Amino acid sequence: MSREIMQNKIKQAEKEISKKKDDVQAGRMRQHYHFMPQTGWLNDPNGLIYYKGKYHFFYQYNPYYGFWDYMHWGHAMSEDLLHWEYLPLALAPSEVYDDYMRGGCFSGSAIEHEGKLWLMYTGVANHGNGNVQTQCIAYSEDGVHFTKYEGNPVIMPPDDVPAHLFRDPKVWKHEDTYYMVCGASRNERAQALLYKSADLLHWDYVNVLAESRGEWGYMWECPDFYPLGDKYVLTCSPMGADDRKAVYFVGDFDYATGRFDWKISGEMDWGMDFYAPQSFETPDGRRLIAAWANEWECMPFWKDWGPTYREGWCGFFNLVREVKMMPDHTLQFVPVEELKNLRTDGYAEDRLEIGSAGQELKAGDGISFEMQFKIDLEKTHADRIELDLRCGDGKKTSCIFDLKSGTLSVDRSNADGWSNGASRSILFLKGKKELDVHIYSDQSSVEIFTDRYQNNHANNIYAGNSQNKIQIRAVGGSAVLKDYRSYGMKECFR
């Protein structure tokens, strides 16, 4: 009976999607090549996996309207990480442990077990004493239609962990045992808790994998944990850590004790719109991540839910990135190779001299494009380089490479009449001969990658089609750009 209840709720949601999707698709702010929902609200990526020859994206989803509420799991499938087929919803709130309007089926992960596709997710309910978050299991024979395990929940919150701060399980297999890391909070300090199981149904607590001493916030959302090279990587989105949206830790892990000893930490993205990244491994051994192109502290509850909300949708993923380790064990986050298949209308200049008067750059239609160049630091004498993207109608998004003070900022305060704020990071240029810059622009976002993909800024903007100019100028001297390359980008979602 419980499976029938969930299937009926999924059918109800699918009817709503079918009714609205054509109108939503016509929205002016719809992306061209970033993954987004057909209708409604999207946030965290869930259950990213390569299963039976296809890539699968699951995602936090409210199919009914363009703001957060009543969480379902959306589902899409792809052969190339670019073009996606929307499948029936995987999960809908239907049980006493997950059927709540301000809860539902929260974030989780996926794994293959005995040929079936298994999902582990957080069920959120409220029985009059506040939200209770528990870890639950669902499984599928065909990878499309799921059944919730009748023994759910499989893990309850520990006694000393607040019941509303225990969520987002990420599961993996090591040798013959399944492991899961889950976000939690104890004594107002963030923790990642480790569990293990022989069958994905019966779980034992192992240890606190890692924890904050206060410097990394009070709750780690969407923790992820995986080997990379000869090290292990823990990523999370820390709540209560101010501007940090997604961070990584690199260190060593002991399966015998369940403890992670990290020595290196860093920002996955310095921008204002990069949250809840989740990783998965491809058949060729790449470790890829996808993230939600937004985050909770910047959600404008005080104003509205943003320009796309008025079009009946909200939310998309950042570009899928490959995680790579540098010799010093810091990490790079490189846009996936598959994106090259979207390139069109290529343009190239081997050398560009930039002065104070500035000049216009060519890249696709100025809206949906890819751009690459290198700043020749040996021949550049400017104090800073100002790159204005999506210019027009008196508006722009300003990217400022301040070579004198060693900072990079992306300011969207004049981007669209709605957005505000600037993201900032350090530009450490000592001993470097050039600074590489790689930019992807889409209808409603700009992602900027610099310094070997270790200094990245993802920011959403909601610029109109008349904002299609790109301007660059040098301040306090001249600048030289090398190897300028740009492309238009083919449509994936129109």
Side-chain angles (χ1 to χ4, degrees):
M1 179 61 72
S2 61
R3 188 175 191 278
E4 183 178 338
I5 292 172
M6 184 173 77
Q7 291 306 315
N8 286 338
K9 290 203 171 189
I10 288 175
K11 289 179 181 178
Q12 178 183 340
E14 294 289 344
K15 287 181 180 179
E16 190 77 5
I17 295 168
S18 180
K19 181 173 65 175
K20 296 178 177 178
K21 65 181 182 180
D22 289 342
D23 288 340
V24 171
Q25 185 175 343
R28 294 187 306 111
M29 295 292 110
R30 295 285 283 178
Q31 295 279 58
H32 297 263
Y33 59 94
H34 283 72
F35 180 82
M36 57 188 169
Q38 289 176 288
T39 67
W41 164 276
L42 168 151
N43 57 287
D44 302 353
N46 298 158
L48 310 185
I49 191 170
Y50 186 83
Y51 176 71
K52 292 187 176 180
K54 300 289 179 65
Y55 296 101
H56 290 256
F57 275 3
F58 299 86
Y59 46 95
Q60 288 286 274
Y61 187 40
N62 173 19
Y64 292 99
Y65 27 82
F67 57 86
W68 180 88
D69 203 3
Y70 205 39
M71 284 291 96
H72 298 59
W73 273 39
H75 187 192
M77 183 173 66
S78 174
E79 294 182 352
D80 62 2
L81 289 171
L82 302 173
H83 303 87
W84 293 88
E85 174 190 356
Y86 295 104
L87 298 175
L89 274 65
L91 298 175
S94 62
E95 310 300 322
V96 66
Y97 53 80
D98 68 10
D99 195 359
Y100 175 57
M101 283 300 295
R102 294 298 180 268
C105 302
F106 272 22
S107 296
S109 53
I111 194 167
E112 184 174 355
H113 172 55
E114 297 179 344
K116 300 177 184 178
L117 184 56
W118 295 65
L119 308 180
M120 193 169 194
Y121 72 98
T122 298
V124 182
N126 189 321
H127 306 296
N129 296 311
N131 282 9
V132 176
Q133 298 177 353
T134 59
Q135 312 318 318
C136 305
I137 291 288
Y139 54 89
S140 171
E141 298 275 0
D142 61 5
V144 177
H145 304 93
F146 289 84
T147 299
K148 294 177 182 176
Y149 174 49
E150 59 186 25
N152 282 337
V154 296
I155 305 177
M156 300 295 293
D159 291 340
D160 55 350
V161 169
H164 68 289
L165 295 174
F166 179 62
R167 57 182 175 268
D168 309 334
K170 178 64 190 295
V171 62
W172 74 95
K173 188 176 185 181
H174 175 71
E175 296 179 347
D176 295 327
T177 303
Y178 294 94
Y179 291 86
M180 182 271 288
V181 63
C182 188
S185 179
R186 276 191 176 100
N187 302 317
E188 298 185 355
R189 293 187 176 183
Q191 293 186 329
L193 304 183
L194 183 67
Y195 291 79
K196 67 178 181 180
S197 171
D199 60 4
L200 291 173
L201 301 176
H202 304 89
W203 291 86
D204 295 317
Y205 174 72
V206 178
N207 207 342
V208 176
L209 179 81
E211 57 192 325
S212 168
R213 295 173 298 174
E215 76 278 35
W216 293 105
Y218 68 88
M219 173 69 187
W220 284 346
E221 290 203 298
C222 302
D224 196 356
F225 191 65
Y226 50 86
L228 193 67
D230 61 349
K231 297 293 180 180
Y232 273 80
V233 175
L234 171 67
T235 66
C236 65
S237 286
M239 301 178 73
D242 296 328
D243 287 342
R244 294 186 172 96
K245 308 299 189 292
V247 299
Y248 71 84
F249 308 91
V250 178
D252 299 303
F253 178 57
D254 184 358
Y255 273 102
T257 63
R259 291 294 295 195
F260 173 59
D261 181 25
W262 57 271
K263 297 295 193 299
I264 293 172
S265 63
E267 305 284 339
M268 299 179 75
D269 194 292
W270 295 80
M272 303 177 76
D273 295 295
F274 187 93
Y275 200 82
Q278 184 173 114
S279 79
F280 67 104
E281 191 174 12
T282 64
D284 58 5
R286 291 178 296 166
R287 176 64 59 170
L288 305 186
I289 58 168
W292 174 38
N294 215 317
E295 67 92 24
W296 296 112
E297 292 181 3
C298 287
M299 287 305 299
F301 300 103
W302 51 270
K303 191 174 181 181
D304 60 26
W305 293 82
T308 69
Y309 158 69
R310 293 188 285 274
E311 297 179 356
W313 70 287
C314 187
F316 48 90
F317 288 173
N318 298 107
L319 295 177
V320 178
R321 307 177 186 183
E322 182 180 356
V323 186
K324 296 184 177 182
M325 185 170 287
M326 299 288 283
D328 63 358
H329 294 136
T330 58
L331 300 184
Q332 298 173 291
F333 302 94
V334 185
V336 290
E337 285 288 317
E338 285 85 346
L339 286 164
K340 293 179 179 178
N341 295 322
L342 297 181
R343 290 173 173 173
T344 186
D345 299 329
Y347 178 81
E349 291 278 359
D350 291 336
R351 176 185 171 92
L352 290 171
E353 295 188 16
I354 311 299
S356 59
Q359 66 186 80
E360 186 171 319
L361 297 179
K362 177 181 178 181
D365 62 0
I367 299 169
S368 174
F369 63 83
E370 176 188 359
M371 173 194 296
Q372 290 180 281
F373 60 84
K374 297 173 184 176
I375 300 173
D376 188 334
L377 297 175
E378 294 183 311
K379 297 179 181 178
T380 291
H381 307 291
D383 292 334
R384 68 179 186 271
I385 297 171
E386 298 179 350
L387 175 65
D388 293 336
L389 306 171
R390 301 298 301 277
C391 304
D393 299 333
K395 298 180 176 64
K396 63 183 180 181
T397 296
S398 296
C399 180
I400 300 174
F401 300 87
D402 195 323
L403 307 178
K404 185 176 182 179
S405 66
T407 60
L408 168 62
S409 66
V410 182
D411 190 345
R412 62 182 186 180
S413 299
N414 191 33
D416 51 36
W418 184 86
S419 300
N420 57 46
S423 59
R424 297 179 176 86
S425 64
I426 294 170
L427 272 182
F428 193 73
L429 303 175
K430 181 180 179 181
K432 296 176 182 176
K433 296 181 179 180
E434 59 187 28
L435 177 67
D436 51 290
V437 180
H438 196 173
I439 297 173
Y440 287 87
S441 173
D442 205 341
Q443 185 71 53
S444 297
S445 63
V446 173
E447 294 180 61
I448 298 168
F449 302 85
T450 68
D451 200 3
R452 298 175 296 178
Y453 303 95
Q454 294 192 291
N455 192 342
N456 311 318
H457 289 243
N459 286 303
N460 297 346
I461 58 172
Y462 303 101
N465 287 343
S466 59
Q467 293 176 235
N468 60 355
K469 303 298 181 185
I470 304 166
Q471 301 281 346
I472 190 169
R473 59 188 167 276
V475 177
S478 61
V480 174
L481 307 186
K482 301 190 302 182
D483 303 329
Y484 180 86
R485 304 290 184 269
S486 68
Y487 310 88
M489 299 294 280
K490 297 175 184 176
E491 298 274 358
C492 289
F493 287 94
R494 293 273 171 159

